[in-house]
Amino acid sequence: MCGIVAIYASSPVNQRLYDAMLLLQHRGQDAAGICTVDKRVFHSFKGMGLVRDVFRTRNMRDLVGNCGIGQVRYPTQGNAAATGESQPFYVNAPYGLVLAHNGNLTNAKELTRELYEHDRRHINTTSDSEALLNVFANELQETTSGNHLDEETLFGAISATMKRLKGSYACVCMIAGHGLVAFRDPHGIRPLCIGKNIDENGNTEYMIASETVALEGSEFSVIGDIEPGEAVWIDEKGVLHRRQCAENPQLSPCIFEYVYLSRPDSTLDGISVYSARLRLGENLATEVLKQLKVEDIDVVMPIPDSSRPATAQLALKLNKPYREGFIKNRYVGRTFIMPGQTIRKKSVRQKLNAIPMEFQGKNVLLVDDSIVRGTTITEIVKMARSSGAKKVYVASGAPPVRFPNVYGIDMPTESELIAGHGKSIEDIRKEIGADALIYQTVEGMKEAVGHFNPEIKQFDCSCFDGVYVTGDVTPEYLRKVEEQRIREKMQAKKTQEAEDS
Ligand code: AMP
């Protein structure tokens, strides 16, 4: 998962890009990059780590220009440890293009082969985003001549690009001398929105970002979402053009954005994330009431931070006290790699500490937004018990995560998921050590989120129901992803051992 942002303005954009990336930091903490353009010259800086650690004043000074794009990355495909894989990516022809991408292409391997064998383009990394940029560059190259670029040609090239790409992609891209473009895949799996600002001289400035929180926090007013399959172009004169570029667009946003990924103060595809989370709590309460006697629950407690709205609403519905039994350390630091020392596994206990008085002698209902690998909740159940809880019940705001995600969230293989391979709820309960385990149902989740925008006919719920909206994800594909993941893990282990010896 990643966060992307683009600004087309009438004054330098470096500081505003940086600030917007801080607002999108929750979408990726692995790497950050900014590229600006000034008189057709790109200026870029990228590195591994958090936005505040990557950029120094001297880097910011070099990022001149009134137009730019940025990305915060959480790796989902490619080599996570390589700085060369940080975005934005650049190609020099046609015009000079720089692109940042959020999502994951499911046909990246085929595209890389096609690009090499047919289009004679070289892909230098394992990143699907580099392949995506080269497909776009190739389609643009095929349809343009000279330095001129018009609306028909540009949107035609984006349509041709969309025909070749499979999977999820929300992209922002600068074209040297020709402004800024952004486009979203025909299912609109990952979010992308646009806003505007009128500067003190009456000029219109535009901003495009993964979430509305980045627009609002930068004092841009939200125009709305970029539609699935839609492309927008802000040309060199600052004029905004919009066009539907897909043949059969069908909005199917990723439901996990509402469950966990996005900030609660964002609104995506017409749905306030916060409202969706409140309603997830309400629907979860219905499940709790079916499976537990309400008089057996003394307190209801969130696992901070993302489950708070759902927990508050659940507690209200059960008419039970809401209590904060776990406090999160907001300043958990970096893990330093010292010679001869393996990377310290960041334990849950480093991040959370319990307040024993909230547990002693009580039956507690712990609520998390979701259970993925199960490591967090297993540790938390132990903490609740060692803090004196009599009974520890667990409720999950999302249904069991049973299937890998191939659209840009790091849930790559079934064997890593605690609910993978059809495991029974009872077996999961035993594994996490809880006295009861209650999950949201898939219907309850869809109802909670979909309630706020009835126009959305389907969501991508693939990690919960195994239905992949792009229609190209076969068991064979998933098997290959799993094998790749095992290879990557073994490679990472070898590298670590080599560093330690
Ligand atoms: P775990 O079950 O230990 O993998 O951690 C699950 C918790 O981490 C959930 O409560 C979410 O808050 C959060 N989470 C969400 N997405 C992911 C993900 N892709 N990988 C790991 N943790 C996630």
Side-chain angles (χ1 to χ4, degrees):
M1 196 197 39
C2 301
I4 55 173
V5 57
I7 304 180
Y8 184 104
S10 44
S11 58
V13 288
N14 48 3
Q15 180 71 53
R16 282 191 279 180
L17 284 170
Y18 178 94
D19 293 343
M21 285 160 69
L22 286 180
L23 289 162
L24 296 174
Q25 186 78 82
H26 59 285
R27 299 186 68 86
Q29 301 88 41
D30 183 62
I34 290 180
C35 182
T36 57
V37 65
D38 185 46
K39 301 183 194 81
R40 294 191 183 203
V41 179
F42 291 125
H43 302 273
S44 95
F45 191 79
K46 47 193 182 181
M48 304 299 286
L50 296 173
V51 173
R52 63 156 195 252
D53 297 327
V54 168
F55 297 96
R56 296 272 162 259
T57 310
R58 58 180 178 276
N59 316 128
M60 294 300 289
R61 264 197 222 114
D62 293 340
L63 295 169
V64 291
N66 297 354
C67 179
I69 64 176
Q71 198 226 27
V72 288
R73 185 188 73 163
Y74 183 94
T76 43
Q77 204 184 352
N79 181 356
T83 327
E85 306 230 335
S86 312
Q87 298 190 34
F89 276 107
Y90 164 73
V91 287
N92 66 353
Y95 312 108
L97 302 169
V98 171
L99 175 136
H101 161 221
N102 174 29
N104 184 51
L105 299 184
T106 48
N107 64 338
K109 276 222 167 79
E110 293 81 343
L111 288 174
T112 304
R113 197 177 330 112
E114 268 174 45
L115 283 163
Y116 177 71
E117 287 173 3
H118 186 262
D119 304 323
R120 290 173 295 145
R121 281 181 174 266
H122 174 66
I123 304 299
N124 207 41
T125 67
T126 57
S127 165
D128 60 330
S129 310
E130 192 190 2
L132 192 161
L133 171 60
N134 275 274
V135 170
F136 177 47
N138 189 66
E139 296 309 319
L140 207 53
Q141 180 94 47
E142 303 264 288
T143 48
T144 50
S145 60
N147 192 41
H148 175 71
L149 184 62
D150 58 45
E151 204 175 323
E152 287 310 311
T153 316
L154 173 63
F155 289 138
I158 295 175
S159 292
T161 303
M162 286 185 180
K163 284 203 184 94
R164 294 180 66 180
L165 306 180
K166 293 207 171 88
S168 68
Y169 47 95
C171 303
V172 287
C173 178
M174 290 190 291
I175 309 175
H178 295 288
L180 180 70
V181 293
F183 50 95
R184 195 173 171 203
D185 73 70
H187 288 93
I189 296 174
R190 302 256 77 86
L192 197 62
C193 55
I194 179 165
K196 72 172 180 184
N197 175 51
I198 311 292
D199 77 3
E200 61 275 12
N201 300 316
N203 301 310
T204 305
E205 303 181 318
Y206 290 101
M207 182 168 176
I208 293 157
S210 298
E211 292 184 36
T212 55
V213 63
L215 306 181
E216 289 166 353
S218 310
E219 294 184 41
F220 276 65
S221 55
V222 178
I223 299 174
D225 299 284
I226 292 180
E227 301 293 319
E230 189 188 21
V232 304
W233 177 33
I234 301 144
D235 68 22
E236 219 26 30
K237 295 196 178 82
V239 179
L240 173 70
H241 312 257
R242 303 181 73 146
R243 175 89 54 100
Q244 178 53 252
C245 291
E247 272 167 10
N248 288 311
Q250 193 191 7
L251 182 59
S252 320
C254 168
I255 207 154
F256 210 66
E257 291 280 351
Y258 302 95
V259 167
Y260 168 74
L261 300 178
S262 291
R263 280 222 346 197
D265 44 346
S266 282
T267 297
L268 314 176
D269 292 308
I271 300 173
S272 140
V273 176
Y274 180 72
S275 305
R277 289 193 187 157
L278 288 179
R279 200 166 173 95
L280 280 164
E282 202 155 320
N283 290 358
L284 181 59
T286 310
E287 291 310 307
V288 170
L289 288 170
K290 280 185 205 158
Q291 299 182 42
L292 285 179
K293 283 199 202 108
V294 75
E295 57 273 21
D296 287 346
I297 304 167
D298 295 320
V299 285
V300 181
M301 225 176 250
I303 312 298
D305 289 310
S306 44
S307 74
R308 282 208 178 99
T311 312
Q313 197 65 8
L314 186 148
L316 188 72
K317 194 126 187 249
L318 299 185
N319 198 20
K320 289 287 168 184
Y322 169 102
R323 287 284 186 270
E324 295 275 357
F326 293 103
I327 303 301
K328 192 169 177 173
N329 178 2
R330 290 196 280 144
Y331 306 102
V332 176
R334 283 168 53 195
T335 306
F336 294 96
I337 306 164
M338 304 293 178
Q341 194 186 326
T342 46
I343 294 183
R344 206 151 34 97
K345 222 177 157 190
K346 278 208 166 167
S347 83
V348 177
R349 280 167 200 262
Q350 243 188 306
K351 287 187 206 147
L352 290 178
N353 192 34
I355 301 177
M357 60 178 271
E358 287 296 359
F359 294 88
Q360 276 151 13
K362 291 181 189 164
N363 295 340
V364 293
L365 174 61
L366 305 178
V367 185
D368 208 350
D369 57 82
S370 57
I371 302 170
V372 181
R373 293 163 183 83
T375 15
T376 315
I377 198 69
T378 308
E379 204 57 39
I380 283 171
V381 170
K382 279 189 206 140
M383 283 170 78
R385 289 203 196 284
S386 62
S387 300
K390 217 160 57 177
K391 287 261 163 69
V392 182
Y393 310 125
V394 171
S396 164
V401 177
R402 294 199 182 277
F403 304 94
N405 184 292
V406 296
Y407 299 131
I409 309 177
D410 186 26
M411 293 178 188
T413 70
E414 219 182 319
S415 32
E416 286 171 74
L417 304 170
I418 195 167
H421 301 292
K423 200 183 284 166
S424 72
I425 309 283
E426 176 55 14
D427 284 346
I428 303 169
R429 181 196 67 75
K430 283 190 200 140
E431 211 169 312
I432 67 171
D435 295 296
L437 170 63
I438 299 113
Y439 274 107
Q440 179 87 262
T441 63
V442 175
E443 292 66 36
M445 173 182 67
K446 286 186 189 168
E447 193 284 329
V449 182
H451 174 83
F452 298 98
N453 185 356
E455 279 173 25
I456 300 181
K457 299 290 174 245
Q458 73 169 359
F459 288 92
D460 158 46
C461 304
S462 50
C463 57
F464 303 108
D465 63 9
V467 178
Y468 294 90
V469 291
T470 53
D472 61 323
V473 179
T474 59
E476 172 68 5
Y477 174 83
L478 293 175
R479 194 180 53 74
K480 283 193 177 146
V481 174
E482 179 137 19
E483 283 169 6
Q484 170 76 16
R485 176 75 169 187
I486 293 167
R487 276 199 298 275
E488 278 170 11
K489 272 187 158 176
M490 275 164 52
Q491 188 55 46
K493 203 171 156 219
K494 268 194 205 149
T495 313
Q496 187 59 53
E497 280 167 3
E499 273 173 14
D500 287 350
S501 63

